[in-house]
Amino acid sequence: MSDISLSLDFSRLTQTEEEGAEEIQERDLIIIGAGPAGLTAGLYAGRAQLRPLILVGQSFGGQAATTSEMENYPGFPEGIGGLALAEQMASHAKRFEAEIAYEEVTSVDLSTYPFVINTYGGVYHAKTLIICTGTSARRLGVPGESKFIGRGVSFCATCDGYFYKDKTVVVVGGGDSALDEGLYLTRFAREVIIIHRRDRLRANPTLQRRARANPKVRFVFNSVVEEVMGEQTVKAVRVRNVNTNEESLIETEGVFVYIGLIPNTTLFKDQLELTTDGYIVTDKRQRTSVPGVYAAGDVQDPWFRQVVVAAGAGAAAAIEAERFLAEKAFEDQAEEDEETKGE
Ligand SMILES: Cc1cc2nc3c(=O)[nH]c(=O)nc-3n(C[C@H](O)[C@H](O)[C@H](O)COP(=O)(O)OP(=O)(O)OC[C@H]3O[C@@H](n4cnc5c(N)ncnc54)[C@H](O)[C@@H]3O)c2cc1C
């Protein structure tokens, strides 16, 4: 580890604005997002003595925290809850002086250096940035969906499943998340109806076997939800068979939507190179198209989407950020020495 990074300046700057003085915090490293990628980046950067600031946004632990039972994170042979794992990761990072702030980033300016990061709480300048903003659930985009969010429409069985004790719920989707969450819902619900637009599931074979063997699970194939209906709360979904175009109503009190994910990259549009699907483009060293800006986890990974992969990428991004700062400090010092010599 280079000593140069230890001598970096953490001083606070003060900028005078029209309304008065606004404090701007200057940081060596800001990490946006507190899922597995962000928290692991925080741990590694903390151990490199960068005193990173992790900005949490709306969901501490990210997507991982919505998972009730994680059976594939190494070191936990009995499995571990997603939130419990995130809490462990956070206390590990904090042990090495990573700071965690419950602030959501509202905009960034990556065209200036240091980079500018605005949150609802304030303004930060960062010499390096690691973006770990993950993904959000894709919405159905049908009438009634937005109206009933929180009143029958949900994107998180772990968060809301308990409210559906002895009720009938539908799950929309046919991938891993749909089946995983559908199976979780069978703990509470009387019946779980999985509506999928194709004639076969995309989920892994183990999940498929478990779902088919569960007497509470029923499948409705070749069908799409056209409308979520109700009064104060959800009462039914209108479903269309994609082969026959026949429509029918399925009575239900809960609609759980798992039809894919959208990367949380709106903040970085026109500032970083993105794929056509909106994921941040990185190289093998987690570098983005802007030097000093790194991305890790699901926000740059449409392929694996696993906690262990996100955590690994977060670690790699932090190592890279430390190297960048050390090299920059060395170059700045050399430039300064050159100038002094010339005087
Ligand atoms: C239902 C479900 C079950 C899963 N089960 C498993 C499993 O069993 N095993 C497994 O390995 N993986 C599982 N996954 C996948 C796993 O959860 C993800 O791969 C992992 O969480 C990705 O981590 P991440 O840190 O990249 O992003 P996320 O965990 O999504 O975290 C994103 C973070 O960014 C923050 N953020 C976003 N926008 C902003 C902003 N503007 N300002 C500040 N912060 C912001 C969020 O608040 C959040 O803290 C599951 C996923 C789902 C949805």
Side-chain angles (χ1 to χ4, degrees):
M1 193 73 49
S2 164
D3 285 332
I4 294 162
S5 64
L6 305 183
S7 64
L8 289 166
D9 182 17
F10 285 93
S11 64
R12 287 168 172 229
L13 302 179
T14 302
Q15 186 187 44
T16 308
E17 301 226 323
E18 268 173 37
E19 312 84 56
E22 186 187 2
E23 191 180 46
I24 298 177
Q25 281 198 47
E26 176 150 324
R27 295 281 181 154
D28 271 0
L29 170 61
I30 287 183
I31 298 164
I32 310 179
L39 293 170
T40 310
L43 161 63
Y44 271 70
R47 286 197 81 236
Q49 303 199 37
L50 299 183
R51 293 160 69 197
L53 174 68
I54 305 173
L55 300 172
V56 173
Q58 291 189 356
S59 96
F60 170 79
Q63 297 262 13
T66 67
T67 311
S68 58
E69 186 73 15
M70 206 162 288
E71 293 181 329
N72 53 7
Y73 194 76
F76 297 93
E78 307 303 326
I80 182 167
L83 183 57
L85 180 63
E87 280 166 353
Q88 295 270 40
M89 286 178 168
S91 49
H92 201 168
K94 281 199 266 190
R95 186 184 146 206
F96 294 103
E97 292 186 53
E99 191 184 329
I100 298 180
Y102 284 80
E103 292 181 41
E104 184 171 357
V105 175
T106 50
S107 65
V108 298
D109 185 351
L110 308 181
S111 65
T112 60
Y113 191 82
F115 309 116
V116 180
I117 288 107
N118 296 299
T119 74
Y120 287 121
V123 184
Y124 297 91
H125 281 178
K127 292 177 184 166
T128 52
L129 183 65
I130 303 180
I131 300 164
C132 306
T133 47
T135 55
S136 295
R138 187 183 293 280
R139 296 197 177 180
L140 289 166
V142 300
E145 182 188 39
S146 298
K147 180 177 163 192
F148 290 112
I149 288 175
R151 291 187 290 140
V153 172
S154 172
F155 303 89
C156 177
T158 316
C159 320
D160 301 330
Y162 188 78
F163 301 121
Y164 297 89
K165 233 172 168 187
D166 298 323
K167 300 194 165 142
T168 295
V169 297
V170 304
V171 170
V172 189
D176 284 355
S177 295
L179 265 63
D180 197 23
E181 300 291 282
L183 282 164
Y184 178 75
L185 286 167
T186 61
R187 294 185 195 190
F188 312 100
R190 183 178 56 228
E191 186 182 25
V192 176
I193 303 169
I194 297 179
I195 302 174
H196 184 41
R197 65 186 165 146
R198 303 193 198 286
D199 60 357
R200 67 186 63 178
L201 300 165
R202 271 186 296 109
N204 72 62
T206 312
L207 277 173
Q208 290 198 33
R209 268 197 301 278
R210 281 176 57 203
R212 288 183 202 280
N214 192 310
K216 284 190 177 178
V217 175
R218 177 159 72 90
F219 292 95
V220 175
F221 286 111
N222 298 312
S223 298
V224 290
V225 171
E226 294 285 13
E227 185 179 359
V228 181
M229 303 163 80
E231 284 157 18
Q232 294 309 309
T233 56
V234 168
K235 297 281 180 231
V237 285
R238 182 162 57 83
V239 169
R240 179 173 59 84
N241 183 300
V242 291
N243 294 334
T244 62
N245 270 335
E246 241 174 65
E247 292 198 336
S248 58
L249 286 189
I250 297 178
E251 286 185 20
T252 180
E253 285 170 77
V255 182
F256 289 83
V257 183
Y258 296 103
I259 54 165
L261 299 164
I262 301 173
N264 296 322
T265 51
T266 313
L267 293 172
F268 315 107
K269 203 164 166 267
D270 301 326
Q271 302 200 60
L272 291 179
E273 189 185 346
L274 305 180
T275 68
T276 47
D277 294 331
Y279 288 86
I280 296 175
V281 174
T282 55
D283 65 8
K284 285 182 180 167
R285 291 164 58 183
Q286 308 308 133
R287 295 180 295 191
T288 69
S289 52
V290 173
V293 179
Y294 304 85
D298 284 10
V299 74
Q300 48 80 223
D301 166 25
W303 306 282
F304 303 114
R305 291 173 174 159
Q306 290 293 294
V307 170
V308 68
V309 180
I319 292 169
E320 281 297 326
E322 191 279 331
R323 285 180 184 154
F324 177 91
L325 286 166
E327 275 165 29
K328 188 154 190 344
F330 182 79
E331 279 165 18
D332 289 352
Q333 187 61 53
E335 214 169 280
E336 213 175 282
D337 291 347
E338 205 57 42
E339 275 169 18
T340 321
K341 241 195 269 168
E343 276 168 15

